[in-house]
Amino acid sequence: MAIRPAEQLIHKAAWLYYAHGLRQDEVANQLNISRASVAMYLRKARETGIVNISTSTQLFTDDVMARRLEDALKLDAVWIAPENAYLADPSTDIAVLAASVFLELVRKGDRIGVAWGRTVYTIADIMSYADLQDVTVVQLCGNLGAPYSYRPDQCTMEIARRLNAKGLNFYAPLVLSTEALAQGLRAEPVIRDQLAGISDCDLALYSIGAVDADSHLVKCGALTAAEMAALRKEGAAGVIAGQIIDAGGELLDCSYNRRVISAGLASLRVIGKRLMVVQEDSKFEPLLAAIAGGLCTHLVVGAHMAQRLLDHAGASAEKAS
Amino acid sequence: MAIRPAEQLIHKAAWLYYAHGLRQDEVANQLNISRASVAMYLRKARETGIVNISTSTQLFTDDVMARRLEDALKLDAVWIAPENAYLADPSTDIAVLAASVFLELVRKGDRIGVAWGRTVYTIADIMSYADLQDVTVVQLCGNLGAPYSYRPDQCTMEIARRLNAKGLNFYAPLVLSTEALAQGLRAEPVIRDQLAGISDCDLALYSIGAVDADSHLVKCGALTAAEMAALRKEGAAGVIAGQIIDAGGELLDCSYNRRVISAGLASLRVIGKRLMVVQEDSKFEPLLAAIAGGLCTHLVVGAHMAQRLLDHAGASAEKAS
DNA sequence: CACGGCTCTCGACAAAAGTCAAATTTGGAT
DNA sequence: ATCCAAATTTGACTTTTGTCGAGAGCCGTG
């Protein structure tokens, strides 16, 4: 991709510095360049993923609460960000953790499905770079012509860029005005192939949306606040990959869902690792719905949300007995 | 393993510094400790593998020569350390590369077989630390009561320590004085289980030994220089995991081999990734034998050796046509 | 409870790394 | 061949990090 000589030099500098443990000035005279250049090369090496610095996320799964949640909710793994213990901004903490977890879950050669939303974009934004050329990042749902920077295609592309991976976008609106048109578009080869390829993913990254006037669906004009409220009455519990699910985690039977171009829930459930990240405490019910529907195998949440989930699971168990 | 509070602090410091990108002094007042302590914790975090710094080894496989070697020798991957281009000591360069490649090949949950020798021990010695608790490192061959620090059990244990993995040693001599005794010992449950477990490995790490008076087998008293010379006349081409192979990479039919307690070549060939590392140019013929015998799928060598291998492969091809 | 041995922590200094504007080189267009 | 714009490189400076010995806390022992 890039030109040879520059890449080569960056790699050599990174190799001598990180692998051999030389100092920057030692690297500088090995390569006959100034130390300042070495410093610059090393920054580039980190930014391009030639060197990887990763921190183990063990501590966040080792937590007793995380273990109990895994059991209670039958999830493969749970990470809990210890709220307000670390930084001023609590949501950043969750995103940083999610980004690390994500990078830990990615394997070479993987195909990764990425949905969209503020959470996903925040993760993409703080994610460190990696060198995973044979990875493919695919977009899970259609686009919204939003004024926001976290459009589905943006999320996909940004993550692909960070990973040095291939990004596979598809350009269809998330929601159309008639069911017939949506059906027709889904049958288009370009779109059909993209949607069919989703079930081949090894890993999915998404968050869950709330069914309220603050939802991106409302902000981006896909639905009006009134329509949203109506859907809520009809049993809408959450939004996943642009689609509305009920409390059981199944697709809600409504006109909106039939007009959407997105990854079917069945395709999502086939994906081996489904990483769900939830930042806001307000998304408690939506998250319960997603878990009930088996849309999540790996979960990253804040401590407060974790406690609520655990209380809920405990209460349900008690009621059942 | 270690005490809670210290581990926790190390992890927190590492998290804030490496994942969130705070400066050491910022971390220090977040945690209410001095910056000096933070620096110390961070060093410990690196030393225990809580943070991982790895450099991509791409450049060394991307090399045209490496690609051609892969084709010519039918190997899965070849890495070539550009000799004398980097550092004073050429063999260190190969070992550093080999260690990085090794860490790149290891996956969580893997079982790893490790042989012994100066090369393997050098690799273990410069290998950086990682956090791979569910990995198991098994010893491929019996021990030699050597005065050297690179005994089979040492190599296994050191690598296990670096990886924070489980080390599985077995305490049998590499070679016994009679075939009957060797047979009896191989039938011992402890030994039998260990040997049987070798074929379950996902990754093997070894080098190749030369058949000469400098061999460790001679230095450690397993064979006399005269015996070695005799074996050479009988067709011995190399030493792998303590066993003697002929030019075709098959076990040489000799008393010595029948008296050895080690991983059978068949078990080794079953292992998915067989990483062979060769430092010395003098090991050209032994390496050819190992490759001929399918004992190596991944190879790390110096540029000079790579050139010789390529020339040889070219010459053979020409002769054949 | 006083004592040594032990680890952990800190302040101060030294070393190394990061940064920036100026200077130089590079590559391309005319 | 000549020029200009963009990118690269550098020296000088600032900030950040690493290190070390001194001192503080801790614990089992005499």
Side-chain angles (χ1 to χ4, degrees):
Chain A
M1 37 168 94
I3 331 96
R4 284 287 83 187
E7 278 267 303
Q8 196 102 338
L9 254 186
I10 293 177
H11 203 292
K12 278 190 184 179
W15 189 251
L16 290 172
Y17 186 76
Y18 287 107
H20 281 273
L22 301 196
R23 270 180 283 106
Q24 289 191 355
D25 54 343
E26 294 181 296
V27 176
N29 30 316
Q30 277 279 333
L31 302 176
N32 284 313
I33 51 178
S34 76
R35 224 204 67 263
S37 295
V38 173
M40 196 210 60
Y41 286 147
L42 293 179
R43 179 157 33 77
K44 275 195 179 160
R46 286 185 300 261
E47 281 171 2
T48 38
I50 287 175
V51 321
N52 249 356
I53 303 185
S54 63
T55 321
S56 160
T57 59
Q58 273 284 109
L59 193 74
F60 303 103
T61 353
D62 269 1
D63 196 287
V64 252
M65 210 198 295
R67 282 290 156 82
R68 283 200 285 159
L69 258 185
E70 285 167 23
D71 289 348
L73 303 176
K74 307 253 183 342
L75 299 176
D76 290 346
V78 174
W79 288 262
I80 299 179
E83 234 135 78
N84 69 41
Y86 288 137
L87 285 172
D89 185 2
S91 70
T92 303
D93 223 23
I94 295 176
V96 169
L97 176 56
S100 285
V101 167
F102 176 80
L103 286 170
E104 226 167 77
L105 290 176
V106 180
R107 292 269 158 273
K108 279 191 180 173
D110 273 5
R111 189 182 176 86
I112 302 169
V114 169
W116 114 117
R118 196 180 44 71
T119 301
V120 172
Y121 193 77
T122 311
I123 293 168
D125 199 44
I126 51 97
M127 182 179 300
S128 58
Y129 294 79
D131 191 30
L132 296 160
Q133 277 124 335
D134 50 358
V135 162
T136 310
V137 182
V138 307
Q139 184 177 332
L140 287 180
C141 50
N143 280 300
L144 272 161
Y148 304 97
S149 64
Y150 39 87
R151 297 198 319 261
D153 59 322
Q154 302 252 32
C155 292
T156 309
M157 292 220 298
E158 181 59 21
I159 290 182
R161 195 176 70 83
R162 299 276 173 150
L163 265 43
N164 280 290
K166 266 202 309 281
L168 225 61
N169 289 117
F170 74 110
Y171 291 98
L174 173 62
V175 56
L176 298 163
S177 27
T178 71
E179 293 179 24
L181 189 53
Q183 215 165 335
L185 200 51
R186 274 194 222 104
E188 266 303 304
V190 203
I191 309 293
R192 201 185 49 208
D193 291 352
Q194 174 86 17
L195 292 176
I198 286 169
S199 43
D200 292 335
C201 285
D202 305 281
L203 171 61
L205 171 67
Y206 39 59
S207 185
I208 180 85
V211 182
D212 56 30
D214 278 346
S215 165
H216 299 321
L217 294 183
V218 174
K219 282 188 187 154
C220 300
L223 284 169
T224 64
E227 285 171 324
M228 203 56 148
L231 282 168
R232 197 185 171 81
K233 284 221 182 75
E234 287 173 40
V239 181
I240 187 155
Q243 294 155 100
I244 294 177
I245 57 170
D246 62 24
E250 296 299 331
L251 204 65
L252 190 75
D253 184 28
C254 63
S255 158
Y256 169 83
N257 272 344
R258 285 189 292 271
R259 289 182 285 118
V260 159
I261 309 281
S262 181
L265 297 189
S267 313
L268 294 180
R269 291 200 189 96
V270 169
I271 298 173
K273 290 171 279 186
R274 285 152 270 163
L275 176 61
M276 177 160 287
V277 183
V278 181
Q279 292 184 311
E280 300 90 344
D281 276 349
S282 62
K283 290 186 175 169
F284 180 61
E285 278 89 10
L287 176 53
L288 280 181
I291 293 171
L295 293 165
C296 145
T297 58
H298 299 243
L299 178 66
V300 177
V301 288
H304 187 235
M305 176 68 93
Q307 191 56 61
R308 280 181 74 181
L309 285 171
L310 210 47
D311 290 348
H312 175 87
S316 311
E318 217 168 284
K319 221 181 286 176
S321 71
Chain B
M1 39 169 91
I3 330 97
R4 281 291 84 184
E7 278 267 304
Q8 195 103 337
L9 255 185
I10 293 175
H11 203 292
K12 279 189 184 182
W15 189 251
L16 290 172
Y17 186 76
Y18 286 108
H20 282 272
L22 300 195
R23 268 181 284 108
Q24 291 191 357
D25 53 335
E26 295 182 295
V27 176
N29 23 315
Q30 278 279 333
L31 302 176
N32 284 313
I33 51 178
S34 77
R35 223 206 70 259
S37 296
V38 173
M40 195 209 60
Y41 286 148
L42 293 180
R43 179 158 35 75
K44 275 194 181 160
R46 286 187 300 262
E47 281 172 1
T48 42
I50 288 175
V51 320
N52 251 356
I53 302 184
S54 64
T55 320
S56 160
T57 59
Q58 275 284 109
L59 193 73
F60 303 104
T61 354
D62 269 1
D63 195 286
V64 253
M65 211 199 293
R67 282 290 155 81
R68 283 200 286 158
L69 258 186
E70 285 167 23
D71 289 348
L73 303 176
K74 305 251 181 348
L75 299 177
D76 290 345
V78 174
W79 288 262
I80 299 178
E83 233 135 78
N84 70 40
Y86 289 138
L87 284 171
D89 186 1
S91 70
T92 303
D93 223 23
I94 294 176
V96 169
L97 176 56
S100 285
V101 167
F102 177 80
L103 287 170
E104 226 168 76
L105 291 176
V106 180
R107 292 269 159 273
K108 279 192 179 172
D110 273 4
R111 188 181 177 87
I112 302 168
V114 170
W116 112 117
R118 197 181 43 72
T119 301
V120 172
Y121 194 77
T122 311
I123 293 169
D125 199 44
I126 50 97
M127 183 179 300
S128 58
Y129 294 79
D131 190 30
L132 296 161
Q133 277 123 336
D134 50 358
V135 162
T136 310
V137 182
V138 307
Q139 184 177 332
L140 287 180
C141 51
N143 280 299
L144 273 162
Y148 305 97
S149 63
Y150 40 87
R151 297 197 320 260
D153 59 322
Q154 304 252 30
C155 292
T156 309
M157 292 221 298
E158 182 59 22
I159 291 182
R161 195 176 71 83
R162 299 276 172 148
L163 265 43
N164 279 290
K166 267 203 305 282
L168 225 61
N169 289 117
F170 74 109
Y171 291 99
L174 173 63
V175 56
L176 298 163
S177 28
T178 73
E179 294 179 24
L181 189 53
Q183 213 166 338
L185 199 51
R186 275 194 220 103
E188 266 302 304
V190 203
I191 309 293
R192 201 184 49 207
D193 292 351
Q194 174 87 14
L195 292 176
I198 285 168
S199 43
D200 293 334
C201 285
D202 305 281
L203 171 62
L205 171 68
Y206 39 60
S207 186
I208 180 85
V211 182
D212 57 30
D214 276 347
S215 164
H216 300 321
L217 294 183
V218 174
K219 283 189 188 155
C220 300
L223 285 168
T224 64
E227 284 170 325
M228 203 56 148
L231 283 168
R232 196 184 172 81
K233 286 225 181 70
E234 287 173 43
V239 181
I240 188 157
Q243 293 155 100
I244 293 176
I245 57 171
D246 61 23
E250 296 299 330
L251 205 65
L252 190 76
D253 184 30
C254 63
S255 157
Y256 170 82
N257 273 343
R258 285 189 292 271
R259 288 183 286 119
V260 158
I261 308 282
S262 181
L265 297 189
S267 314
L268 294 180
R269 291 200 189 97
V270 169
I271 298 174
K273 291 172 279 188
R274 284 152 270 164
L275 176 61
M276 176 159 288
V277 182
V278 180
Q279 292 184 312
E280 299 90 344
D281 276 349
S282 62
K283 290 186 176 168
F284 179 63
E285 277 89 10
L287 176 53
L288 278 181
I291 292 171
L295 293 165
C296 148
T297 58
H298 299 244
L299 178 66
V300 177
V301 288
H304 187 235
M305 177 68 92
Q307 190 56 60
R308 281 181 73 181
L309 285 171
L310 211 47
D311 291 347
H312 175 85
S316 310
E318 216 168 284
K319 219 179 289 178
S321 71

